[in-house]
Amino acid sequence: MNKTLNSLPRRQMLAGSASALAAAGLATFTRGAAAAGETPVASATPKPLPAYVAWKDPASVIVHSSTTIETKRAAFGSGVITPAEQLYIRNNLPAPDASIVADRDAWQVAIEGVKAPRMLTLRELKTMGVETTAMVLQCSGNGRGYFPSKPSGTPWQVGAAGCVMWTGVPVRVVAEALGGVVPGAGYLTGTGGEKLPEGLDPLSIIVERSVPAAAMADALLAWEMNGVPISLAHGGPLRLIVPGYTGVNNIKYIKRLAFTAKETEAKIMSHGYRISPPGGKGEPSQPSVQEMTVKSWINSPAPDAAGVRAGLVQVQGVAFGGLNGIKRVEVSLDGGKTWNDARLTGPDLGRYAWRQFVLPARLPAGSHTLASRATDTAGNVQPEQRMENAGGYNNTSWADHAVKVTVA
Amino acid sequence: MNKTLNSLPRRQMLAGSASALAAAGLATFTRGAAAAGETPVASATPKPLPAYVAWKDPASVIVHSSTTIETKRAAFGSGVITPAEQLYIRNNLPAPDASIVADRDAWQVAIEGVKAPRMLTLRELKTMGVETTAMVLQCSGNGRGYFPSKPSGTPWQVGAAGCVMWTGVPVRVVAEALGGVVPGAGYLTGTGGEKLPEGLDPLSIIVERSVPAAAMADALLAWEMNGVPISLAHGGPLRLIVPGYTGVNNIKYIKRLAFTAKETEAKIMSHGYRISPPGGKGEPSQPSVQEMTVKSWINSPAPDAAGVRAGLVQVQGVAFGGLNGIKRVEVSLDGGKTWNDARLTGPDLGRYAWRQFVLPARLPAGSHTLASRATDTAGNVQPEQRMENAGGYNNTSWADHAVKVTVA
């Protein structure tokens, strides 16, 4: 481990990594490494879409940097599934070369921590089993933009999230086919296939994360997103999908899946994505950012919506529970003083997906603060206040996500 | 009505319409009118995508003509929802000018046959209510390509279908808001907003269809498909969605929605889309092509799949019941002699959507005929044989949809 980098606060640490990369003659990685620090970017002038995501809809997204792209709140429709062209991007390292999706079936992943460990090709995985799961994919830092403390990192509002459909082979099926998990393996550890710069301790930069082994019950090694082969930008040809866990735990271009006794010692696990006290830095003793919890927000009317007219309005949004389904969504038209039960609409895609909700409301002319508050099937209620933390993670505050709309 | 055209068989009639259009100086309509006859097109050389659907994925579709575009069987993924870039196109007339989607909220639809009939803008509709429904959209002629009689019309195989998510206001909500349906209205009649050529009887060419008024229970006036505003190619800014009914009943660019005592006298209703005896022609006395019935097919392995290797294979496909959900899917590996229960996978999007199914199977090297047979929740079983008819409609035969695959 690079102790020098370890001892720096997160923003400086990652800026340090970028400098180290540049010093190592790896200028092409600099932008990615800077993005790994999610440095806030002034967005006065809209940035163009980077080439690897040129197929995204420019009108639906906010380009923060080449590796951090947010869906506009007003672009979220009511179709439950977020189209790929609108889905956010957040890469910890630049995507590998597009050559890895030229022959998808040849992609290899090492399966370790099973009785008969071996390398499997995507072609082989496809013969082993298939399941399709809809789930909310959400960046750990979604909602960071509402922290008054302005934590280091992309100031996402609501758009570092989407609900997408993944198809692949269940991880438990793969483990069973290889003789089962070895005793004592408490974690499922995934390693990304990004190209690492030479001259750095790999653990300081590699994208490798561990989740509790129990998460394998619903985890997938996925090759399709929304019915088509996963794009390079979203982790194709093969991505680990851990439903209910924040985006970083869903390892892109996965090249190794291991059942391990301990969490990985990669910095992105040991020091990154930790719930640190305000002003502090990430440490292994702190809670890791993993499971998502109950959250909702209003998409329509959007805060910047023009032309909302007095009278009947359909207040719409999304709600999800992380590991649990959604039982109830309430909507307030007066900034949280009083609440009304909203109706859940559209198909229920299962407990990991989000639900659309709607409240028909008569709004008079003037300014209104609309808020939503979700309750999951376990009875957990979305909190009013964010949990303050240095990284600006896991913001589920309904107050932060309230929208002010002007009705003419 | 144009009696001369009426008395001609369908293919000649529509060729006649094209000639009449050309004679009227409306050459720009000729190609569309020809397509309305769904003239089979030799497809030795792949045709490029027409400009209005240039955003489709060329690798996923077969361009039969500028208004008839099919999804390749091998392109159907397992994501349940068919992405817009892959969804088939079948327009009875050329799409209106793109200017109609420039200011979507200004689109107007006349609501008639209610106690307080009036014109409503899309902006107003959006305030009235919202629902999202997943449903199979399928051309009446999907599977026509398997009729040995080679009926006039596009020889679709399986790809004139998709499962898509529609968002809009329920028709029943609109009717209630306008005082309710007038007594004696047995039909819901929708009129498309295509520009009609002058010099022809409008009834001979207009896209206007009637469905039983009871269908309004789940019908929508929809403005979103798959979470984004409906593209012009798929009927935006506003489309009538009648879940469980074939594509033609889902009126694009709808400009009039009327509760009527009788079916429309438009030719596309009175003589088009009728179940005529082989060699016959459409007549109002014959059954209309409306509700879909139980059907399934295998998408993977596709008949032209290369590199299917001996051993374990995941046989996958889709099944839907039209008005009913799916209870069971069986798969045969021996051309229909013996059957095995497949497993339904992925989320259940409701009774109008299709379900994905999978059967893990060990296939030895050689040639195999794989077939699927679905049963809906009402107990209806997908038939072995097609129902012969002149138009090549409603082909649900499992034998016709069987796939021959070669295993190496």
Side-chain angles (χ1 to χ4, degrees), chain A residues 199-382:
Chain A
L200 283 182
D201 178 353
L203 285 179
S204 71
I205 188 105
I206 198 166
V207 179
E208 184 170 279
R209 295 276 301 175
S210 301
V211 296
M216 82 164 168
D218 289 329
L220 299 176
L221 282 169
W223 51 81
E224 269 187 24
M225 188 186 90
N226 288 359
V228 298
I230 304 175
S231 62
L232 181 69
H234 290 296
L238 190 67
R239 185 168 183 176
L240 175 63
I241 296 301
V242 189
Y245 283 64
T246 59
V248 70
N249 298 291
N250 296 266
I251 302 293
K252 294 169 177 164
Y253 344 102
I254 187 165
K255 67 175 185 184
R256 174 177 169 265
L257 182 67
F259 294 91
T260 54
K262 296 183 180 176
E263 286 183 358
T264 170
E265 292 184 351
K267 177 174 289 296
I268 198 173
M269 185 82 213
S270 60
H271 292 73
Y273 296 92
R274 295 278 166 177
I275 301 294
S276 315
K281 58 193 174 78
E283 294 290 352
S285 61
Q286 298 157 350
S288 188
V289 177
Q290 295 189 316
E291 301 93 332
M292 295 186 287
T293 56
V294 64
K295 184 170 179 178
S296 71
W297 63 77
I298 289 165
N299 284 323
S300 177
D304 50 359
V308 182
R309 295 180 186 175
L312 191 58
V313 171
Q314 305 289 324
V315 180
Q316 299 171 70
V318 293
F320 54 100
L323 296 178
N324 302 311
I326 284 295
K327 184 168 69 179
R328 180 188 195 192
V329 180
E330 300 160 284
V331 168
S332 172
L333 306 174
D334 54 12
K337 292 193 199 75
T338 62
W339 295 90
N340 315 273
D341 272 319
R343 181 171 60 87
L344 301 178
T345 65
D348 179 351
L349 307 190
R351 67 185 174 120
Y352 298 119
W354 64 27
R355 294 297 308 264
Q356 302 276 343
F357 64 82
V358 62
L359 179 79
R362 292 204 171 270
L363 294 181
S367 183
H368 303 271
T369 299
L370 314 182
S372 64
R373 183 172 68 182
T375 303
D376 72 15
T377 52
N380 301 302
V381 181
Q382 183 178 358

Side-chain angles (χ1 to χ4, degrees), chain A residues 79-84 132 134 163-167 224-228 347 349, chain B residues 75-87 132-137 161-166 225-227 318 346-350 352-356:
Chain A
V80 191
I81 294 297
T82 308
T132 298
C163 186
V164 281
M165 200 92 83
W166 302 96
T167 298
E224 269 187 24
M225 188 186 90
N226 288 359
V228 298
L349 307 190
Chain B
F76 282 116
S78 301
V80 192
I81 294 297
T82 309
E85 312 90 78
Q86 301 194 323
L87 186 64
T132 298
T133 302
M135 79 158 200
V136 174
L137 183 72
C163 186
V164 281
M165 201 91 84
W166 301 98
M225 188 186 89
N226 287 0
V318 293
D348 180 351
L349 307 190
Y352 298 119
W354 64 27
R355 293 298 308 266
Q356 303 276 343

Side-chain angles (χ1 to χ4, degrees), chain B residues 17-36 52 66-67 92-97 194-198 200 205:
Chain B
S17 295
S19 302
L21 288 166
L26 287 152
T28 54
F29 274 82
T30 307
R31 187 158 57 168
Y52 76 109
S66 66
T67 54
N92 276 279
L93 287 174
D97 189 82
E194 292 91 346
K195 193 178 175 200
L196 302 183
E198 292 177 20
L200 283 182
I205 189 102

Side-chain angles (χ1 to χ4, degrees), chain A residues 77-79 83 86 123 126-132 165 167 224 226-228 307 309 312 314 343 345-346 349 358, chain B residues 77-79 83 86 123 126-132 165 167 224 226-228 307 309 312 314 343 345-346 349 358:
Chain A
S78 302
Q86 300 193 323
R123 179 189 299 277
K126 286 178 177 174
T127 69
M128 296 172 73
V130 64
E131 189 49 87
T132 298
M165 200 92 83
T167 298
E224 269 187 24
N226 288 359
V228 298
R309 295 180 186 175
L312 191 58
Q314 305 289 324
R343 181 171 60 87
T345 65
L349 307 190
V358 62
Chain B
S78 301
Q86 301 194 323
R123 179 187 299 277
K126 286 178 177 174
T127 70
M128 297 172 74
V130 65
E131 188 50 86
T132 298
M165 201 91 84
T167 298
E224 267 188 25
N226 287 0
V228 298
R309 296 180 187 174
L312 192 58
Q314 304 288 326
R343 181 171 59 89
T345 65
L349 307 190
V358 62

